[in-house]
Amino acid sequence: MRARTIAVLAAGLVALLGLGGAAPKKPVYVGARACGQCHDGAGMGNQYSKWLTTKHSKAYAVLSLPESVEMTKRSGLRGQPWKEPVCLGCHSTASTAEDWEKDDAFRPEDGLQCESCHGPGSEYMSEEVMRNRAEAMKAGLRLPNEDTCLGCHMEKGSHTAVNPNSTVDIKKAIPRIAHPLMKPSQLRAPPAPRGGDFIGSSACGACHKGPDHGHQWDVWRRSDHARAWAVLSTAEGRRIADDMKVTGDPQMSKQCLGCHAVGAEANEGVGCEACHGAGKKYATEAVMKDPAAAKAAGLRIPSTTGCNHCHRETHGKTFDAAKAWTKIAHPTKVPPPPAEIRYKTPLNLTFRPHTTELWVTCESGNVVAIVDTVSRQKQAEIVVGNAPTDVAFTPDGLRAFVSNRESDTVSVIDTVTRQVTATLKVGDEPHGVLTDAQGRRLYVLNTSSNDIWVFDVATLKFVKTLSGGIGPWSLALSPNGKTIAVTSTFSNLTGFRKPLKSEITVIETERAVVTDRAMVRGTNLMAGIAWHPSGQYALATMNRTKNLVPMTRLMQGWTITNGLAVLWADGTVDQVLLDQPGSGFSDATDVAITNDGRYALVTSSGTDRVAVVDCTKLERMLKTATKKDRETVIPNHLGKSAEFLAGFVPTSTSPRGVTTGPDGRYAYVAGSLDDELTVIDLKTLQPAGRISLGGPKEVTLQRKGERLFHNAKISFRQQFACHSCHPDGHVDGLAYDIEADGIGVSPVDNRTLRGIYDTAPFKWEGTNATLRRQCGPRLSVFFTRNLPFTNEELDALDYYITTIQRPPNRHHTPGEMYTPAQKRGKAIFEREMTNDRRVIPVENRCVTCHMPPYYTSRKKFDVGTKQALDRQGTFDVPHLNNIYDSAPYLHNGMADTLEEIWTVFNPYDKHGVTNDMTKDQLNDLIEFVKTL
């Protein structure tokens, strides 16, 4: 009898898995149903049935709930939760595995399955291997512990913010999900499939899922119907069976199965076909879209009367059919979610040549707005890619080019028809765009890949790549058309604790080649740039961040200063500040020079104003100063701006781009967080009106927080805003000396704010448990020297920061195959043995500290990187998502590249075992890490 049982089980497994022939060389995921073929029944501790009754089995299905959507938003994620890799990392199984690593019968919709904790099971699942613990573990069986659970069940801010009861006490939870084997264990053949025309609920779910179908399959999976068979194995199920005089196993009893296993397979409980009839003949899309044909093919439309067959006065319980019907309702058409408030967020603006049309890129709206400056009305919007950033035109004004930062594209627009006619694939995070004077070439600045792509305008064909500075941002064409100057938003990597040095890249347009790299010392976050009509110089906005000076110098105005770099035609550079002794000019962002060359207009996104620079006075001050003063005094002098500033003009909130009109009478400023343009009268140097871009009037909590994030009122004398160190919610590439740990002690690398809410604790030493503490008391004491926010404002800021999104990963798209190098790197990242077959201690494996989905254990470790200035050697494990985009690395920024983390700063293999690797293996590891 036992031999027959085993034979039946083996046949069932082969049929279920399609595993005929030789076993695969690499373990693959087989799914909980395959495990359940053996691991169920009283003789096996009802393990599979126990799992079916847990929240783990519903983990994927809950992702379609409205609260999951809000949690996703609060996590800084941009996708739908049921598709978002970070969500799937804890709500599904094998979310990071490629298709070849999953058996054909594997279903990710089954939630957190056995193999999430025990590892892919194809190589250890046979009875022969499983009955030998040592052999099973050699074949890949993992035995989880509390740390395994904590990988997903550590408190997540995004979850508790939406559902305060979402935390899990692991010590209490483990006994609830415990599923020990009986000793001795005994296999039980599973109930035979129903057969006939029954196809199973999973077949129905292949179509009846997602928002277009009301997430119907998820609704069923979350219901008690999906667990109707599993509950027969519980103590309560057995008690009821005893009361009903059922003999033997309730899960095998026809008396019980008549109402608890009405589907293609018993383990799906009361499936779709229990109410709708066997689906083989009506399941095809062509039939289902024809109600009459579907009905004729056997589709039943159930009613509450049908429920009574099993539910009427069952087991001593009353049954309210109407109430129950509402609970399990799963209409195809569900009410749409509340309309999302979508702002415009204008960034940059440019006049279309030979017209009065002002084209404005709107980052949040994913559109270009066209404004008629005569009527001061918005005329039209053109939908482009995600996060449009800059716009440029051919000299004749017939074509426009719009960079789309998050799409890595440039939209080509016919300006007459106002239609997108082509889309150019470009580098990573394109920002500035510009054509040369003849309209022959288009230049695209790729901020994340640090290069400049050149296209032929006539053919729209890619021509070449030019190497830029770090984070090429904006560009301007000289009046004679021979030169393009390009700013870089990050400083070059000058070495550990060395002064900053940013690059202005100079391009000769005739040959489209780089002819100079002018270095602007002591600066970072260079953004806007414009040439003076004389062609003698260009002005570029910049910050002078004193990151080598302790933050104690805030009171002296010496933490971050803001101003202009003056790039002379001969390649030399001067610097001047726009700050004043009692008032900073935080986050100088863009610059435009009037047609007559008299004034330069500079926006300050942190203080909501435009500085008006008298160019003649600026030139005079610099030309009459000594060489020493120009090099050492003027770049740091807070009082010198009084000699050349003509005044300040207030604008709408967080001004970014600025341009002057073709007639030279007005200037226009993009108020990014008010969705409007400020018009400036260039004769009176006063505001002359506002132009609405049609954004929502409601100020959401998120928008309020965004405004606070960009406002320098938080700091002493308005020296800086949150945005000053975290431009676009990211990093400035610098390490700072914060005196909380002593002056000159423990410099710390700046860390991104994109998608960080669920990676607490914060700070490299892991001392801040919440963002609220990070942005409140800590900010007040060590950064702003005042009370930066009220409690209400802190709530808004906290909310905004949690919603800052990570850009899409540029090295791997979820669902696509890894490259060969990435596959090899993944194997190294997950390896347990060195090249010479030594076992790597668990605590020194990559995946121990950097476990998915955030690739952080959220704990502190000593990885041997403590330096002479550090007061301690244990540091918070950083997450690795989009790590390629946040150089430099390690707690103090001493590693310029990912490679240096292991080649320079891991001599004793404390930061993972890497010294046995070949150069090619290390390159492969880095290629995989970039995909995270």
Side-chain angles (χ1 to χ4, degrees):
M1 180 67 183
R2 178 174 173 77
R4 180 182 176 187
T5 299
I6 294 175
V8 170
L9 290 172
L13 286 173
V14 170
L16 180 63
L17 298 174
L19 291 177
K25 294 180 180 180
K26 296 286 186 180
V28 300
Y29 290 89
V30 297
R33 292 179 304 136
C35 303
Q37 293 288 307
C38 293
H39 289 265
D40 211 3
M44 298 296 287
N46 295 303
Q47 291 177 312
Y48 178 56
S49 291
K50 282 186 177 180
W51 170 77
L52 282 172
T53 64
T54 68
K55 291 182 179 179
H56 284 165
S57 69
K58 297 186 286 185
Y60 178 88
V62 301
L63 292 176
S64 59
L65 292 171
E67 50 262 48
S68 296
V69 176
E70 177 62 18
M71 289 176 185
T72 303
K73 180 180 179 181
R74 296 296 298 270
S75 299
L77 304 174
R78 59 184 60 246
Q80 297 167 314
W82 55 91
K83 294 181 179 179
E84 182 61 52
V86 169
C87 302
L88 294 174
C90 284
H91 285 263
S92 186
T93 302
S95 62
T96 62
E98 294 186 277
D99 288 345
W100 68 269
E101 297 175 277
K102 293 174 281 191
D103 185 80
D104 290 344
F106 176 84
R107 297 193 312 220
E109 297 86 359
D110 285 343
L112 259 292
Q113 305 174 54
C114 318
E115 293 160 297
S116 291
C117 300
H118 294 291
S122 64
E123 303 308 291
Y124 64 75
M125 64 183 293
S126 69
E127 182 182 8
E128 179 183 2
V129 175
M130 280 297 285
R131 290 193 180 277
N132 184 325
R133 175 61 59 83
E135 289 300 315
M137 296 192 71
K138 283 183 182 179
L141 174 67
R142 296 198 302 258
L143 299 181
N145 54 27
E146 286 188 16
D147 284 342
T148 309
C149 305
L150 288 171
C152 281
H153 285 293
M154 285 185 74
E155 180 178 333
K156 294 184 176 71
S158 65
H159 291 47
T160 55
V162 178
N163 178 9
N165 298 318
S166 62
T167 55
V168 175
D169 185 327
I170 293 299
K171 292 190 181 298
K172 292 181 179 178
I174 287 178
R176 289 202 300 269
I177 65 167
H179 44 279
L181 277 173
M182 297 293 290
K183 293 184 178 179
S185 58
Q186 184 176 359
L187 297 180
R188 178 197 74 180
R194 189 163 182 172
D197 287 342
F198 286 85
I199 58 176
S201 296
S202 62
C204 304
C207 293
H208 291 264
K209 61 182 180 180
D212 292 341
H213 286 83
H215 296 286
Q216 291 173 310
W217 198 33
D218 288 347
V219 174
W220 170 74
R221 292 191 66 91
R222 294 194 299 264
S223 73
D224 289 339
H225 282 163
R227 272 154 293 286
W229 179 75
V231 297
L232 294 176
S233 70
T234 64
E236 177 67 6
R238 289 191 296 272
R239 184 194 65 77
I240 294 173
D242 289 342
D243 290 345
M244 297 181 66
K245 310 301 182 187
V246 173
T247 58
D249 186 347
Q251 288 190 313
M252 305 295 286
S253 166
K254 290 185 178 180
Q255 186 177 350
C256 300
L257 296 182
C259 283
H260 284 263
V262 190
E265 297 182 13
N267 60 23
E268 75 174 37
V270 180
C272 312
E273 293 163 296
C275 300
H276 293 287
K280 182 178 180 179
K281 295 178 181 178
Y282 64 76
T284 61
E285 183 178 10
V287 175
M288 282 295 288
K289 287 196 170 184
D290 183 340
K295 184 177 181 181
L299 175 66
R300 296 202 304 260
I301 306 301
S303 66
T304 54
T305 304
C307 304
N308 290 330
H309 172 69
C310 285
H311 285 287
R312 185 170 51 196
E313 303 297 332
T314 304
H315 311 316
K317 300 177 182 178
T318 58
F319 177 66
D320 186 329
K323 186 176 180 180
W325 188 264
T326 302
K327 188 176 180 180
I328 65 166
H330 46 277
T332 300
K333 300 297 182 182
V334 296
E340 181 182 1
I341 294 177
R342 195 175 190 89
Y343 295 100
K344 303 296 182 184
T345 314
L347 292 186
N348 291 299
L349 60 177
T350 306
F351 272 92
R352 178 186 169 200
H354 319 302
T355 74
T356 58
E357 292 179 4
L358 184 59
W359 288 46
V360 187
T361 56
C362 298
E363 182 184 48
S364 298
N366 295 335
V367 298
V368 176
I370 302 175
V371 173
D372 174 35
T373 53
V374 176
S375 64
R376 295 189 179 179
Q377 298 291 320
K378 183 180 73 173
Q379 289 186 329
E381 286 185 347
I382 303 172
V383 176
V384 287
N386 291 338
T389 302
D390 199 12
V391 57
F393 295 90
T394 52
D396 58 13
L398 295 180
R399 278 203 287 186
F401 302 93
V402 177
S403 59
N404 304 304
R405 182 171 58 86
E406 292 181 357
S407 299
D408 295 344
T409 61
V410 168
S411 298
V412 183
I413 301 174
D414 182 318
T415 59
V416 177
T417 64
R418 295 177 177 174
Q419 298 291 318
V420 175
T421 58
T423 300
L424 307 180
K425 186 65 179 174
V426 297
D428 298 349
E429 294 196 38
H431 203 279
V433 288
L434 188 68
T435 62
D436 58 24
Q438 291 75 34
R440 291 184 303 160
R441 298 188 182 101
L442 170 71
Y443 296 81
V444 182
L445 308 185
N446 300 308
T447 301
S448 184
S449 50
N450 303 328
D451 52 27
I452 303 162
W453 284 20
V454 184
F455 289 84
D456 183 290
V457 170
T459 64
L460 299 180
K461 299 295 185 181
F462 172 78
V463 175
K464 64 167 70 175
T465 298
L466 305 177
S467 175
I470 300 183
W473 194 260
S474 294
L475 66 174
L477 181 67
S478 63
N480 63 12
K482 295 182 178 181
T483 301
I484 292 175
V486 181
T487 58
S488 304
T489 192
F490 298 116
S491 165
N492 284 0
L493 296 171
T494 56
F496 181 58
R497 304 300 287 161
K498 299 295 184 182
L500 308 179
K501 188 166 57 177
S502 294
E503 175 182 316
I504 297 179
T505 310
V506 180
I507 301 171
E508 178 201 297
T509 59
E510 178 63 28
R511 296 177 296 157
V513 296
V514 174
T515 56
D516 193 14
R517 299 184 186 275
M519 293 301 163
V520 190
R521 300 182 183 278
T523 67
N524 70 317
L525 297 187
M526 299 193 73
I529 188 168
W531 281 92
H532 191 270
S534 67
Q536 295 181 31
Y537 59 88
L539 299 178
T541 64
M542 53 89 180
N543 283 9
R544 287 183 57 82
T545 303
K546 315 298 192 299
N547 65 305
L548 303 183
V549 177
M551 293 288 287
T552 52
R553 308 310 292 171
L554 180 70
M555 304 298 284
Q556 286 73 33
W558 257 67
T559 296
I560 299 177
T561 50
N562 311 269
L564 291 170
V566 184
L567 172 68
W568 298 96
D570 63 3
T572 59
V573 179
D574 279 301
Q575 298 178 49
V576 297
L577 300 183
L578 296 175
D579 304 297
Q580 297 172 308
S583 178
F585 191 74
S586 172
D587 293 341
T589 302
D590 197 16
V591 56
I593 300 177
T594 56
N595 301 345
D596 59 8
R598 181 178 181 184
Y599 296 123
L601 308 175
V602 187
T603 57
S604 164
S605 66
T607 62
D608 300 342
R609 53 187 177 153
V610 166
V612 182
V613 175
D614 187 312
C615 293
T616 301
K617 292 181 178 179
L618 173 64
E619 295 172 33
R620 184 186 307 125
M621 182 196 72
L622 291 172
K623 291 178 178 179
T624 58
T626 66
K627 184 174 185 291
K628 179 180 179 181
D629 282 354
R630 290 172 74 166
E631 290 179 352
T632 63
V633 177
I634 294 176
N636 298 303
H637 200 303
L638 292 172
K640 280 292 183 179
S641 60
E643 297 185 26
F644 57 80
L645 276 177
F648 295 99
V649 183
T651 67
S652 48
T653 307
S654 193
R656 298 292 189 94
V658 57
T659 193
T660 57
D663 60 1
R665 182 176 178 183
Y666 296 104
Y668 302 85
V669 181
S672 63
L673 301 183
D674 272 334
D675 289 350
E676 63 184 20
L677 309 182
T678 298
V679 183
I680 298 176
D681 188 316
L682 293 177
K683 291 183 178 179
T684 64
L685 300 182
Q686 295 296 318
R690 304 280 178 91
I691 301 174
S692 173
L693 296 179
K697 298 302 181 184
E698 179 182 348
V699 179
T700 63
L701 186 66
Q702 182 181 12
R703 190 66 154 189
K704 182 177 180 181
E706 187 175 12
R707 289 177 175 178
L708 291 166
F709 185 85
H710 288 80
N711 199 307
K713 74 172 188 177
I714 66 168
S715 61
F716 182 70
R717 293 176 178 168
Q718 300 187 110
Q719 290 181 55
F720 55 83
C722 304
H723 177 268
S724 305
C725 296
H726 294 284
D728 291 330
H730 197 32
V731 296
D732 58 3
L734 306 182
Y736 289 86
D737 179 8
I738 304 168
E739 77 272 20
D741 38 33
I743 295 176
V745 177
S746 296
V748 290
D749 180 49
N750 192 5
R751 297 168 75 173
T752 185
L753 299 180
R754 293 173 173 177
I756 65 163
Y757 198 17
D758 294 335
T759 64
F762 304 107
K763 202 171 181 290
W764 275 104
E765 294 181 358
T767 52
N768 291 324
T770 64
L771 279 175
R772 190 178 181 86
R773 174 175 173 78
Q774 179 91 345
C775 300
R778 173 177 173 269
L779 196 72
S780 175
V781 173
F782 300 120
F783 289 87
T784 62
R785 296 305 195 277
N786 59 19
L787 184 63
F789 307 109
T790 65
N791 286 334
E792 180 182 331
E793 289 174 333
L794 191 55
D795 287 340
L797 178 70
D798 181 82
Y799 185 87
Y800 167 68
I801 291 175
T802 67
T803 64
I804 296 175
Q805 296 181 339
R806 284 195 304 273
N809 188 287
R810 265 63 187 193
H811 293 267
H812 183 251
T813 300
E816 291 186 356
M817 295 284 287
Y818 288 116
T819 67
Q822 291 167 349
K823 284 183 180 180
R824 295 191 299 267
K826 183 174 186 286
I828 294 170
F829 187 82
E830 297 172 348
R831 72 176 184 161
E832 299 177 359
M833 301 187 76
T834 63
N835 287 336
D836 56 1
R837 309 308 295 168
R838 288 175 291 122
V839 175
I840 301 174
V842 173
E843 64 275 10
N844 209 15
R845 297 172 185 170
C846 300
V847 293
T848 299
C849 295
H850 295 287
M851 61 182 67
Y854 282 103
Y855 295 93
T856 172
S857 64
R858 299 167 61 183
K859 297 181 179 180
K860 293 193 293 184
F861 289 92
D862 182 353
V863 294
T865 55
K866 181 180 179 181
Q867 301 295 301
L869 295 176
D870 296 325
R871 64 176 180 174
Q872 67 178 53
T874 58
F875 300 104
D876 178 57
V877 176
H879 75 72
L880 300 184
N881 298 113
N882 286 11
I883 192 67
Y884 64 87
D885 198 26
S886 58
Y889 303 103
L890 297 178
H891 67 279
N892 54 11
M894 61 186 174
D896 285 348
T897 64
L898 289 169
E899 184 180 51
E900 284 190 0
I901 295 173
W902 298 289
T903 58
V904 178
F905 299 107
N906 191 35
Y908 304 112
D909 278 344
K910 292 191 68 176
H911 195 172
V913 178
T914 58
N915 285 315
D916 68 311
M917 291 183 191
T918 66
K919 173 65 174 173
D920 287 341
Q921 285 178 314
L922 183 58
N923 288 342
D924 290 342
L925 174 63
I926 292 170
E927 286 304 303
F928 172 69
V929 169
K930 289 177 181 178
T931 70
L932 303 178

